[in-house]
Structure formats: C-alpha cells, structure tokens
Amino acid sequence: MKIGFIGTGVMGSAIAGHLIAAGHQLAVYNRTKSKTDQLVAQGAVWYDSPAEVAAVSELVFTMVGFPSDVKAVYFGEKGIFKQLRKNSIVVDMTTSQPSLAAQIGNYATEHNFHALDAPVSGGDIGAKNANLTIMVGGEEKIYQQLLPIFKLMGKTTTYFGKAGAGQHAKMANQIMIAGTMTGLTEMLLYTKKAGLDEQKVLAALSGGGAANWSMENYVPRILRDDYTPGFFARHFLKDLRIALAEADKMGLDLRATENAKRLYEIMVDVKGLGDQGTQGLINIY
C-alpha cells in the first residue's frame, strides 16, 4: 500500500520501519525533519507537510504528542484533511482525547473518508519488537480491513467500538500503568533502605504475584541510571490528565490515579524532568 506516517518519534519511527520492511511505500513527515532520516535511508520519501503526505497516501498513520498536535495535523492549514483523497483511511495512534477521536471520526464520515483511533501500549521496546498492544475504535469494517497492517506492529489488536472507544481503552491502560509506576518506584526505595540486593529483589518479584511489565522493563534501566525515554514522562502526565478528566465526566473519583498525576506533575512541571522516561519518577523522591 501507499502509506503515510506522520510523527516519527521514539515509537513512530520503529513502527514505520516495520511497514517499510513489509514492502509498503512510505511517505513521512515529522516536525523535526532529522528524525525521519533513518526512514528515508530505508526507502521512505519525505514530504513537507501532513497535507502533502495525505495527498499521496491511501492510508495515513499519525503518532504525535498532544491533542493540540493531533488537531493541527488533521484540521490545520496544512493538515491531512486538506488534501486527503476520498475513501482514504486515517489512523491516529496518538494517545489523545476520546472526544477528539470522535470529532475526527465524524468529520471523516461526513467527507467520505474513514478513520480509526488506535492508541498503543508497549513503549519503545514494544514498538521495536512489533509486539505492541493496539486498542481500536471507529468503523469495524475498516478495522477488519487493516488487521494485516496492525499485525506488522503488534501482537494484540482489539476492537472496542465506535470512534473514541480505542482512546477510552488506552485510558484504562494508563490508569493501570500509573499504579505500577508508583509501585515499582516505592518498591525500589524500600528495597534500598532495607539493604537488599536490588537485582535479587527484581528476580524474585518477577516470578511472583508482583510481576508486571513496567517493573521488568523499567527497573533494570533505573538500576543502571538510564532515564532515556521509552515513553516521555510529559506525555504520560498528559495521558493521566485526560484519564482523570474523562473519569470526572463519569462521576468517578480515582484517588490513586490522582496521586500518580500529582507525582508526575512534580517531576514534569516542578522539576523539569519531562523529557526523561516515566521511570525517572524515582528522581523526585
């Protein structure tokens, strides 16, 4: 297929690489052009705007940072919808607002396009190894059509319902991750204070009821003082704010998630560590 990919950051570049490896023709755009250099070297073609990518693609993926970025990429002056061809498909893999996903879906339907929201979980490791978990909302017929493409990126792809449902599923994921990140951070602090061998504790916990993906993937990074982002802390804070805003609409009081948000606000807004990975939370304690 002729596929466009907009947003080639930590995860996007790895996902786009799998599409090239599978033989698809790739058009790429990123605000920082140099972040597409490796993909261009692999055969992708650079375009100067999301609109220009859309003009040459029958399927366009987006994976940017914040809801404001999603709006600009789709509805902006040089956005996708300015030059997208009729019956083409857009898939937003950004973790964003369910209401914005619904807005994109409604606009697509009204203008003879097709749209899915398909946020992912698995971080940089999942993207590199093509074993992401993909949560999808939008037209089920289009979801079924794109399953072979999704299988190039992930090991688990689940359809949840109408536009925005994929984003709601991702919010559930982030609520769960919030607990594991605070848990693994405080577990490490306790381990150190108790004088235990951190590597032995990690091995023991990984074999029992405390086992979880975040601990197994992020604790080794912390133990070697590696805070490079598999997932940016500033993006995770954005996700928690969206999740809590949605929970508030539902009349839910998610106190543990609220506390995780407060901790990440200290990390990102107060300490200025938003460009570290989520494992950098330990640096505020």
Side-chain angles (χ1 to χ4, degrees), residues 74-108:
Y74 280 92
F75 297 104
E77 189 176 318
K78 295 182 178 181
I80 290 167
F81 285 142
K82 294 297 183 183
Q83 294 191 43
L84 190 67
R85 295 177 294 181
K86 300 302 180 187
N87 295 314
S88 294
I89 303 167
V90 294
V91 181
D92 186 28
M93 304 189 86
T94 314
T95 299
S96 184
Q97 297 161 323
S99 58
L100 179 53
Q103 181 184 352
I104 291 169
N106 291 336
Y107 186 94

Side-chain angles (χ1 to χ4, degrees), residues 89-136:
I89 303 167
V90 294
V91 181
D92 186 28
M93 304 189 86
T94 314
T95 299
S96 184
Q97 297 161 323
S99 58
L100 179 53
Q103 181 184 352
I104 291 169
N106 291 336
Y107 186 94
T109 299
E110 291 167 5
H111 293 81
N112 296 313
F113 309 134
H114 304 285
L116 298 177
D117 48 290
V120 303
S121 182
D124 60 332
I125 296 169
K128 289 173 184 174
N129 295 333
N131 62 2
L132 292 166
T133 294
I134 307 170
M135 295 155 267
V136 185

Side-chain angles (χ1 to χ4, degrees), residues 66-258:
F66 293 82
S68 58
D69 300 318
V70 175
K71 288 179 183 177
V73 160
Y74 280 92
F75 297 104
E77 189 176 318
K78 295 182 178 181
I80 290 167
F81 285 142
K82 294 297 183 183
Q83 294 191 43
L84 190 67
R85 295 177 294 181
K86 300 302 180 187
N87 295 314
S88 294
I89 303 167
V90 294
V91 181
D92 186 28
M93 304 189 86
T94 314
T95 299
S96 184
Q97 297 161 323
S99 58
L100 179 53
Q103 181 184 352
I104 291 169
N106 291 336
Y107 186 94
T109 299
E110 291 167 5
H111 293 81
N112 296 313
F113 309 134
H114 304 285
L116 298 177
D117 48 290
V120 303
S121 182
D124 60 332
I125 296 169
K128 289 173 184 174
N129 295 333
N131 62 2
L132 292 166
T133 294
I134 307 170
M135 295 155 267
V136 185
E139 300 174 60
E140 187 170 11
K141 179 178 71 174
I142 301 302
Y143 162 74
Q144 295 292 344
Q145 181 181 331
L146 293 188
L147 265 177
I149 301 290
F150 286 133
K151 287 178 180 177
L152 298 174
M153 315 169 181
K155 64 175 181 179
T156 303
T157 305
T158 307
Y159 175 75
F160 286 95
K162 63 183 181 180
Q167 296 294 353
H168 277 301
K170 182 61 186 289
M171 290 303 110
N173 183 87
Q174 300 307 71
I175 289 166
M176 184 71 227
I177 294 294
T180 63
M181 291 308 300
T182 56
L184 75 83
T185 299
E186 296 190 356
M187 174 276 291
L188 275 175
L189 294 169
Y190 186 93
T191 296
K192 185 173 182 179
K193 201 71 173 178
L196 301 176
D197 182 309
E198 290 114 324
Q199 295 288 0
K200 286 184 177 180
V201 170
L202 174 61
L205 269 54
S206 295
N212 65 81
W213 187 95
S214 296
M215 182 180 71
E216 292 177 18
N217 286 280
Y218 288 136
V219 168
R221 297 189 190 191
I222 293 171
L223 294 182
R224 59 177 183 265
D225 289 324
D226 177 4
Y227 301 106
T228 54
F231 190 68
F232 284 107
R234 56 187 167 87
H235 289 165
F236 189 54
L237 175 57
K238 171 261 298 182
D239 296 352
L240 295 181
R241 285 170 170 160
I242 293 172
L244 287 164
E246 294 297 324
D248 189 58
K249 292 176 187 177
M250 300 173 192
L252 296 174
D253 181 5
L254 304 183
R255 298 186 185 188
T257 306
E258 179 65 43

Side-chain angles (χ1 to χ4, degrees), residues 251-277:
L252 296 174
D253 181 5
L254 304 183
R255 298 186 185 188
T257 306
E258 179 65 43
N259 190 51
K261 178 183 76 75
R262 181 184 66 82
L263 293 169
Y264 274 99
E265 284 175 338
I266 294 170
M267 180 183 173
V268 175
D269 297 338
V270 179
K271 299 295 186 181
L273 302 176
D275 284 337
Q276 290 190 356

